[in-house]
Structures are given as C-alpha cells and as structure tokens.
Amino acid sequence: MEILIALGKIIIAIGAILFTVTYLVYFERKISAWIQDRVGPNRVGWFGLLQAPADVLKLFFKEDIVPLAANKVIHAFAPIISLTIALSTYAVIPIGPEVELLGYKVKLVVADVDAGILFILAFTSIGVYGLTLSGWSSNNKYSLLGGLRSAAQMISYELSMGISVVGVLMLAGSLSISNIVEYQYGWMWMAVLQPIGFITFVVSAFAETNRLPFDLPEAEPELVGGYHTEYSSLKFAMFFLAEYANMIVASALIVSLYLGGWQFPYAQEFGLSSGLTVLLQVFSFIAKVLCVLFVFIWVRWSIPRFRYDQLMNLGWKVMLPLSLVNLIWVAFLIYVFKI
Amino acid sequence: MAVVKKRLKDLTLLEKLYIPEIVKGMLLTLKHLVSPKFTRQYPEVKYVQPESYRGRPVLVEDGGKERCVACSLCSRVCPALAIDVQAAETIDEKERYPERFEINMLRCIFCGFCEEVCPEEAIVMSKDYELTFLNYKDAIYGKDKLLTPVEKLKDRIEFLRKYR
C-alpha cells in the first residue's frame, strides 16, 4: 500500500508538472502578447487553448538532426539529464499538510526528505551538467559559449542562493521543507521576516532557471540559440520542458521557503472542517505558485538582458554581500527576539 | 578590468539601486497588459481602404463594354511587363477594342503606372488585395476577371479626377 501511495503521488506530481508546463508555454505567449499590445495565439481551439498540444505534436514530427562532428552519446544524454533533474527536484516540495485518506496518513509530498533543501541545491547543481555537456558535445562554438556561460553563471548565483537559504534554515531550525513551511504559521512568512534574503533568493532563482534578465546561456542575439542550438525535435522539446519545469520548481521553492508554502494565514482558526482546511491550504499553495510564475513571465517581458560582465558584477559584488547582510539580520532577529 | 566610462547623465543613487527602476518598468508593462490591443483579427475584420489604396488593376466596364481602346500605353509603361494587349477593330465609335487583355498577377507590382498613363480612364486600381492562385495559369487574369462595372469604381475614379 505504501508503494502504491508513493507511485500515485509520483504520477500525479509528474502529470501536474507536464500539464502545467504545456499551459505555461501558452500563458507565456499570451502574456508576452498582451504586454506588447498584441492578442497572442487565439486560432487553435477555444481562445487558442489547443495551441500548446499542437506545438508539442509538431515537435514530435520534426526530424531529429545530430551534427556530424558531435559526440553522439553525450549529445543524446544531455537533454535527458536536464529533464530528469528538473522533474525529480519537485519531489521534496510539499503541496499540503499531512492528511488522513481512507484510513492512511498521507503526506502531500512525494518524498519528505529530512535534508530537503540540500537535495534541491544538489540537484539543481547537477542540472548545470545538462546544459554544459550539451554545449560541449554539439561541437559548435555558439553552443560551447552557452554551456560555459551557464556553468559560470550557475556557480556564481548558487553561492548567494545558498547563503540566502541559510537565513531560512537558521530561523526554522530544520533542513526539511515540510518543517520550514510549518514554521511559517500565520504571517510569519520568511519574506516578511527577512526581505533582503527574499530578494537575493528570488534574483538567484531567476539566474538559476536561466530566465530572461539572466538568460545568457541562450542569449539569442549573440549565441543563436546558446546551448541548444544544435538540438531539434524531441531533444529540443526536452530542453524546453526542462526549462519550464525548472521554472515551476523555482516558483514552488520560493513559495515554500519564503511565502509560507501551503499555509493560508490562520486557516486552522477559521473553524472549517479539516478536509476543507486542507483544500484551502492546497489551493493557496497552487495560487501562490501561479502568482510567482506570473511574476517570472512578467519580468521576462519587462527587463532587458544583462551584459555578461554586469551579470558577474551583480552576482559577486552585490548579491553575495547582500545575502551576507541578510545572514547578520537573521542572527540579530534571533538574538533580540529569541524566535 | 572594465574601463569606467563617464555617462552623459550620471545616475542618481535611487537609480543605481535598480529596484525602483525595475518596479517602474514592471508597472509600465502591467499597464500595457490590460490596455486595448492593436491587432486586427484579419479574416473576420477587414481593412477598410482609403480611395488612394492601390489594389489589383481592373478594366472599367461602361454600358456593358470596356472603355479601353487598346492603345497599349499601359503595356508600354508597365515596369514589370505584366500587361499584354491584343487590339482589334469594332464598329463602335471608338473603332478599336482589346480583343485580348491579360495582366499577369504574379508580375504586377501594383505601381499604378497603367492607371496613370491611361488616356481613357479605362484601367484603374481597385481595392481588391486578396489574390490567391494555385498554379501559374490561374495567375494570368483575362478580360473575364478584369472587367468591373464603373459603379463599383466610383471612389477611385473620383479620386483620380481630383488628384491626378
């Protein structure tokens, strides 16, 4: 039974991510269109809602081109790394509290790992290999540059990301994401307690997911397509999927660590039945994630790309000191208020 | 390392902080997110052309016959060599008429020279711009497709009389 529950959770989680990714692409196109005073896709299906499945279908039927001089094994392996990492990272993020379902206690998280944050930091670091290897194995100078950039960028921003997370860990006193979410009861959201850490974490998350102000690994005007220049068909689709799945994971992480996760402020004191409370909490989690995803897309179509030296300056000279300042602030909070 | 360049306008401290400026930019895009859109939903909503619009050239049909006297000036002036005229005699007052009048719509560049040079006001530019054909032969428009009653071309003829 345990195994069945775990399997069900995995299927639901992956299905939800894949579904969200397809519609995330649709909403990305819609929102970009609206921001640019256009209408966006509206021909395929009702309001263009079938546009995303149509795009996927189109990618299925494309020819898979592998460059002659490419390292074929790694060329095929790199998108797989990217996608598996992107999909598996979601495992440790809880979407709701523990519930009783048919007499079984079910935690609304695929794997409640004690060291959840370490798991996520480790896995997102492995994700870099996908990009770097794809850039190297394509035997194309633009791809290689994209891969190199992604490696350098990830290393620079992982540092400030990690140090911002330390602030959260100090307050919650646990590495498990479930515990961190439970700590943020009521309005004790981490974003309220440590706004500087919140900002540094969000900026680092943008850099980690290669979203627009920091999408140098695939900067189209300079690098053609960056690391995925030489990919087509399903392999390209996998990179595409991984990018958007990463975005969802990053939003879920921001919500879990800083915006109270599945906590709806004082939901337990509304006097609702336990089932309704859980429902409210799950929906508040989903709503928060969608809001953060909207911000991701919104930022992409508002802010131009950074230059590479500006990116490095920001990472090392601004983000790192700021996250250290945040650490001192958290220490001060703990020392003064004993929380 | 990086050379520090003097800017024309130095940034103030508030601008150097980035975040207020980023918020400003985001608010601007948010405003556009909800503002009315410029897109015309083309096949459903069509463009309403002004009289000066140069669409497909057509022959003016006046009283069941073409006005054209087959002088071939349009054919001579056509920069794309799209017009082909074959003259013949008729018992009408005008004595000549085009037995065959063909415009190759793959060659036509919609410059309007034919209309400009025509002494009889017999060839004018219509407002029709939706031209599709599935093979090269269909692209050659003969008299059957070119003849258009004068009533339909009033706008353009008036425009020509006023401004030509």
Coordinates of all heavy atoms in Angstrom, one line a residue, chain A residues 31 33-40 42-43 199 294-295 298-299 301-303 306 309-310 313-314 317, chain B residues 1-2 7 18-19 22 25-27 29-44:
Chain A
I31 N 0.8 36.2 -22.3 CA 1.1 37.4 -21.5 C 2.1 38.3 -22.3 O 2.0 39.5 -22.3 CB 1.7 36.9 -20.2 CG1 0.6 36.3 -19.3 CG2 2.3 38.1 -19.4 CD1 1.0 35.7 -18.1
A33 N 2.2 38.6 -25.4 CA 1.4 39.3 -26.4 C 0.7 40.5 -25.8 O 0.7 41.6 -26.3 CB 0.5 38.4 -27.1
W34 N 0.1 40.2 -24.6 CA -0.7 41.3 -24.0 C 0.2 42.5 -23.6 O -0.1 43.6 -23.8 CB -1.4 40.8 -22.8 CG -2.5 39.9 -23.1 CD1 -3.2 39.8 -24.2 CD2 -3.0 38.8 -22.2 NE1 -4.2 38.8 -24.1 CE2 -4.1 38.2 -23.0 CE3 -2.7 38.3 -21.0 CZ2 -4.8 37.2 -22.4 CZ3 -3.5 37.3 -20.5 CH2 -4.5 36.7 -21.2
I35 N 1.4 42.1 -23.1 CA 2.3 43.2 -22.7 C 2.8 44.0 -23.9 O 3.0 45.2 -23.9 CB 3.6 42.6 -22.0 CG1 3.1 42.2 -20.6 CG2 4.7 43.5 -22.0 CD1 4.2 41.6 -19.8
Q36 N 2.9 43.4 -25.1 CA 3.2 44.1 -26.3 C 2.0 44.6 -27.1 O 2.1 44.8 -28.3 CB 4.1 43.2 -27.2 CG 5.4 42.8 -26.5 CD 6.1 41.7 -27.2 OE1 5.6 41.1 -28.1 NE2 7.3 41.4 -26.7
D37 N 0.9 44.7 -26.4 CA -0.3 45.2 -27.1 C -0.8 44.3 -28.2 O -1.4 44.8 -29.2 CB -0.2 46.6 -27.6 CG -0.2 47.6 -26.4 OD1 -0.6 47.2 -25.3 OD2 0.2 48.8 -26.5
R38 N -0.5 43.0 -28.2 CA -1.0 42.1 -29.2 C -2.0 41.2 -28.6 O -2.4 41.4 -27.4 CB 0.2 41.2 -29.7 CG 1.2 42.0 -30.5 CD 2.3 41.1 -31.0 NE 3.2 40.5 -30.0 CZ 3.2 39.2 -29.7 NH1 2.5 38.4 -30.3 NH2 4.0 38.8 -28.7
V39 N -2.5 40.3 -29.4 CA -3.6 39.4 -28.9 C -3.0 38.0 -28.4 O -3.5 37.4 -27.5 CB -4.7 39.2 -29.9 CG1 -5.7 38.2 -29.5 CG2 -5.3 40.5 -30.2
G40 N -2.0 37.5 -29.2 CA -1.5 36.2 -28.9 C -2.2 35.1 -29.5 O -3.2 35.3 -30.3
N42 N -4.7 32.6 -30.7 CA -6.2 32.5 -30.5 C -6.8 31.8 -31.6 O -8.1 31.8 -31.7 CB -6.8 33.9 -30.3 CG -6.7 34.7 -31.6 OD1 -6.0 34.4 -32.5 ND2 -7.5 35.8 -31.7
R43 N -6.1 31.0 -32.4 CA -6.7 30.4 -33.5 C -7.0 28.9 -33.3 O -8.0 28.4 -33.8 CB -5.8 30.5 -34.8 CG -5.6 31.9 -35.3 CD -6.8 32.3 -36.0 NE -7.0 33.8 -35.8 CZ -8.0 34.5 -36.3 NH1 -8.9 33.9 -37.1 NH2 -8.1 35.7 -36.1
I199 N 14.7 38.9 -1.5 CA 15.1 39.5 -2.8 C 16.3 38.8 -3.4 O 16.3 38.4 -4.6 CB 15.4 41.0 -2.7 CG1 14.1 41.7 -2.4 CG2 16.1 41.6 -3.9 CD1 14.3 43.2 -2.0
F294 N 3.6 33.9 -12.7 CA 3.2 35.1 -13.5 C 4.3 36.2 -13.4 O 4.7 36.8 -14.4 CB 1.9 35.7 -13.0 CG 1.6 37.0 -13.6 CD1 1.1 37.1 -14.9 CD2 1.7 38.2 -12.9 CE1 0.8 38.3 -15.5 CE2 1.4 39.4 -13.5 CZ 1.0 39.5 -14.8
V295 N 4.9 36.3 -12.2 CA 6.0 37.3 -12.0 C 7.2 36.9 -12.9 O 7.8 37.8 -13.5 CB 6.4 37.4 -10.5 CG1 7.6 38.3 -10.4 CG2 5.2 38.0 -9.7
W298 N 6.2 37.9 -16.3 CA 6.1 39.4 -16.4 C 7.5 40.0 -16.4 O 7.8 40.9 -17.2 CB 5.3 39.8 -15.1 CG 5.1 41.2 -14.9 CD1 5.1 42.2 -15.9 CD2 4.7 41.8 -13.7 NE1 4.8 43.4 -15.3 CE2 4.5 43.2 -14.0 CE3 4.5 41.3 -12.4 CZ2 4.1 44.1 -13.0 CZ3 4.1 42.2 -11.4 CH2 3.9 43.6 -11.7
V299 N 8.4 39.5 -15.6 CA 9.8 40.1 -15.6 C 10.5 39.8 -16.9 O 11.1 40.7 -17.4 CB 10.6 39.4 -14.4 CG1 12.1 39.7 -14.6 CG2 10.1 40.0 -13.1
W301 N 9.3 39.8 -19.8 CA 8.9 40.7 -20.9 C 9.0 42.2 -20.5 O 8.6 43.1 -21.2 CB 7.5 40.4 -21.4 CG 7.5 39.0 -21.9 CD1 7.0 37.9 -21.3 CD2 8.0 38.6 -23.2 NE1 7.2 36.8 -22.0 CE2 7.8 37.2 -23.2 CE3 8.6 39.2 -24.2 CZ2 8.2 36.4 -24.3 CZ3 9.0 38.4 -25.3 CH2 8.8 37.0 -25.3
S302 N 9.7 42.4 -19.3 CA 9.8 43.8 -18.9 C 11.3 44.3 -18.9 O 11.6 45.4 -19.3 CB 9.3 44.0 -17.5 OG 7.9 43.7 -17.4
I303 N 12.2 43.4 -18.5 CA 13.5 43.8 -18.2 C 14.5 43.2 -19.2 O 14.4 42.0 -19.5 CB 14.0 43.3 -16.8 CG1 13.0 43.9 -15.8 CG2 15.4 43.7 -16.5 CD1 13.1 43.3 -14.4
F306 N 20.9 41.2 -19.1 CA 22.2 41.8 -18.6 C 23.3 41.5 -19.5 O 23.3 40.5 -20.2 CB 22.5 41.2 -17.2 CG 21.8 41.9 -16.1 CD1 20.4 41.8 -15.9 CD2 22.5 42.7 -15.2 CE1 19.7 42.4 -14.9 CE2 21.8 43.4 -14.2 CZ 20.5 43.2 -14.0
D309 N 29.4 40.9 -18.1 CA 30.2 41.4 -17.0 C 29.3 42.0 -15.9 O 29.6 41.9 -14.7 CB 31.2 42.5 -17.5 CG 30.5 43.7 -18.1 OD1 29.5 43.4 -18.8 OD2 31.0 44.8 -18.0
Q310 N 28.1 42.6 -16.4 CA 27.2 43.1 -15.4 C 26.6 42.0 -14.6 O 26.4 42.1 -13.4 CB 26.0 43.8 -16.1 CG 26.5 45.1 -16.8 CD 25.4 45.7 -17.6 OE1 24.5 44.9 -18.2 NE2 25.4 47.0 -17.8
N313 N 29.2 41.0 -12.1 CA 29.3 42.0 -11.1 C 28.2 41.9 -10.1 O 28.4 42.0 -8.9 CB 29.3 43.4 -11.7 CG 30.6 43.9 -12.1 OD1 31.6 43.3 -11.7 ND2 30.7 44.9 -13.0
L314 N 27.0 41.7 -10.6 CA 25.8 41.7 -9.8 C 25.9 40.5 -8.9 O 25.6 40.5 -7.7 CB 24.5 41.6 -10.7 CG 23.2 41.7 -9.9 CD1 23.0 43.1 -9.4 CD2 22.1 41.2 -10.8
K317 N 29.5 41.0 -6.5 CA 29.7 42.2 -5.8 C 28.4 42.7 -5.1 O 28.5 43.6 -4.2 CB 30.2 43.3 -6.7 CG 31.6 43.1 -7.2 CD 32.1 44.3 -8.0 CE 33.4 44.1 -8.7 NZ 33.6 45.1 -9.7
Chain B
M1 N 40.8 45.7 -15.7 CA 39.4 45.3 -15.8 C 38.6 46.3 -16.6 O 39.1 47.0 -17.4 CB 38.9 45.1 -14.4 CG 38.8 43.6 -13.9 SD 37.7 42.7 -15.0 CE 36.1 43.3 -14.5
A2 N 37.3 46.3 -16.3 CA 36.4 47.1 -17.0 C 36.8 48.6 -16.9 O 37.1 49.1 -15.9 CB 35.0 46.9 -16.5
R7 N 29.2 58.7 -18.1 CA 28.0 58.8 -18.9 C 27.6 60.2 -19.1 O 28.1 61.1 -18.4 CB 26.9 58.1 -18.0 CG 27.1 56.7 -17.8 CD 25.9 56.1 -17.2 NE 26.1 54.7 -16.8 CZ 25.1 53.8 -16.9 NH1 23.9 54.1 -17.3 NH2 25.4 52.6 -16.6
Y18 N 18.6 50.2 -8.7 CA 18.0 49.3 -9.6 C 16.5 49.0 -9.3 O 15.6 49.1 -10.1 CB 18.7 47.9 -9.7 CG 19.8 47.9 -10.7 CD1 21.0 47.3 -10.3 CD2 19.6 48.4 -12.0 CE1 22.0 47.2 -11.2 CE2 20.7 48.3 -12.9 CZ 21.9 47.7 -12.5 OH 22.9 47.7 -13.4
I19 N 16.2 48.7 -8.0 CA 14.9 48.1 -7.7 C 13.8 49.1 -8.0 O 12.8 48.7 -8.7 CB 14.9 47.6 -6.3 CG1 15.8 46.4 -6.2 CG2 13.5 47.2 -5.9 CD1 16.1 45.8 -4.9
I22 N 13.3 49.1 -11.7 CA 12.7 47.8 -12.2 C 11.2 47.8 -11.9 O 10.4 47.4 -12.8 CB 13.4 46.6 -11.5 CG1 14.8 46.4 -12.2 CG2 12.6 45.4 -11.7 CD1 15.6 45.3 -11.5
G25 N 9.5 49.9 -14.5 CA 9.4 49.2 -15.8 C 8.3 48.2 -15.7 O 7.5 48.0 -16.7
M26 N 8.2 47.5 -14.6 CA 7.2 46.4 -14.5 C 5.8 47.0 -14.5 O 4.9 46.4 -15.0 CB 7.4 45.6 -13.2 CG 8.8 45.0 -13.0 SD 8.9 43.3 -13.5 CE 8.1 42.6 -12.2
L27 N 5.7 48.2 -13.8 CA 4.4 48.8 -13.8 C 4.0 49.3 -15.2 O 2.8 49.2 -15.6 CB 4.4 50.0 -12.9 CG 4.4 49.7 -11.4 CD1 4.4 50.9 -10.5 CD2 3.2 48.8 -11.0
T29 N 4.8 47.8 -18.0 CA 4.4 46.6 -18.8 C 3.0 46.1 -18.3 O 2.2 45.7 -19.0 CB 5.4 45.5 -18.7 OG1 5.8 45.3 -17.4 CG2 6.6 45.7 -19.6
L30 N 2.8 46.3 -17.0 CA 1.5 45.9 -16.4 C 0.4 46.8 -17.0 O -0.7 46.3 -17.3 CB 1.5 46.1 -14.9 CG 0.4 45.4 -14.2 CD1 0.5 43.9 -14.3 CD2 0.3 45.8 -12.7
K31 N 0.7 48.1 -17.2 CA -0.3 49.0 -17.8 C -0.6 48.5 -19.2 O -1.8 48.4 -19.6 CB 0.3 50.4 -17.9 CG -0.8 51.5 -17.8 CD -0.1 52.8 -17.8 CE 0.3 53.3 -19.1 NZ 1.3 54.4 -19.1
H32 N 0.4 48.0 -20.0 CA 0.2 47.6 -21.3 C -0.6 46.2 -21.4 O -1.2 45.9 -22.3 CB 1.5 47.5 -22.1 CG 1.9 48.8 -22.7 ND1 1.5 49.2 -23.9 CD2 2.7 49.7 -22.1 CE1 2.0 50.4 -24.1 NE2 2.8 50.8 -23.0
L33 N -0.4 45.5 -20.3 CA -1.0 44.2 -20.2 C -2.5 44.3 -20.3 O -3.2 43.4 -20.9 CB -0.6 43.5 -18.9 CG -0.9 42.1 -18.6 CD1 0.1 41.2 -19.4 CD2 -0.9 41.7 -17.2
V34 N -3.1 45.4 -19.8 CA -4.5 45.5 -19.8 C -5.0 46.5 -20.7 O -6.2 46.7 -20.9 CB -5.0 45.9 -18.3 CG1 -4.9 44.7 -17.4 CG2 -4.3 47.1 -17.8
S35 N -4.1 47.2 -21.4 CA -4.6 48.3 -22.4 C -5.1 47.6 -23.6 O -4.9 46.5 -23.9 CB -3.4 49.2 -22.7 OG -2.4 48.4 -23.5
P36 N -6.0 48.4 -24.4 CA -6.6 47.8 -25.6 C -5.5 47.4 -26.6 O -4.4 48.0 -26.7 CB -7.4 48.9 -26.1 CG -7.0 50.2 -25.4 CD -6.4 49.7 -24.1
K37 N -5.8 46.3 -27.4 CA -4.8 45.8 -28.3 C -4.9 46.4 -29.7 O -6.0 46.9 -30.1 CB -5.0 44.3 -28.4 CG -5.1 43.6 -27.0 CD -3.8 43.8 -26.2 CE -4.0 43.3 -24.8 NZ -3.3 44.2 -23.8
F38 N -3.8 46.3 -30.4 CA -3.8 46.9 -31.8 C -4.2 45.9 -32.9 O -4.3 46.3 -34.0 CB -2.4 47.5 -32.1 CG -2.2 48.8 -31.3 CD1 -1.2 48.8 -30.4 CD2 -3.0 49.9 -31.6 CE1 -1.0 50.0 -29.7 CE2 -2.8 51.1 -30.9 CZ -1.8 51.1 -29.9
T39 N -4.2 44.6 -32.5 CA -4.3 43.6 -33.5 C -5.7 43.7 -34.2 O -6.7 43.9 -33.5 CB -4.2 42.2 -32.9 OG1 -3.0 42.2 -32.1 CG2 -4.1 41.1 -33.9
R40 N -5.7 43.5 -35.6 CA -6.9 43.4 -36.3 C -7.1 41.9 -36.6 O -6.2 41.3 -37.1 CB -6.9 44.2 -37.6 CG -8.2 44.1 -38.4 CD -8.1 44.8 -39.7 NE -8.0 46.2 -39.5 CZ -7.0 46.9 -40.0 NH1 -5.9 46.3 -40.6 NH2 -6.9 48.2 -39.8
Q41 N -8.2 41.4 -36.2 CA -8.5 39.9 -36.4 C -8.8 39.7 -37.8 O -10.0 39.7 -38.2 CB -9.6 39.5 -35.5 CG -9.4 39.6 -34.0 CD -8.4 38.6 -33.4 OE1 -8.2 37.6 -34.0 NE2 -7.9 38.9 -32.3
Y42 N -7.8 39.6 -38.7 CA -7.9 39.8 -40.1 C -9.0 39.1 -40.9 O -9.9 39.8 -41.3 CB -6.6 39.6 -40.8 CG -6.7 39.4 -42.3 CD1 -7.3 40.5 -43.0 CD2 -6.4 38.3 -42.9 CE1 -7.5 40.3 -44.4 CE2 -6.7 38.1 -44.3 CZ -7.2 39.2 -45.0 OH -7.4 39.0 -46.3
P43 N -9.1 37.8 -40.9 CA -10.1 37.3 -41.8 C -11.5 37.7 -41.4 O -12.4 37.8 -42.2 CB -10.0 35.7 -41.8 CG -8.7 35.5 -41.1 CD -8.4 36.7 -40.3
E44 N -11.7 37.9 -40.1 CA -13.1 38.3 -39.7 C -13.3 39.8 -39.8 O -14.3 40.3 -40.3 CB -13.3 37.9 -38.2 CG -13.4 36.4 -37.9 CD -12.0 35.8 -37.6 OE1 -11.2 36.5 -37.1 OE2 -11.8 34.6 -37.9

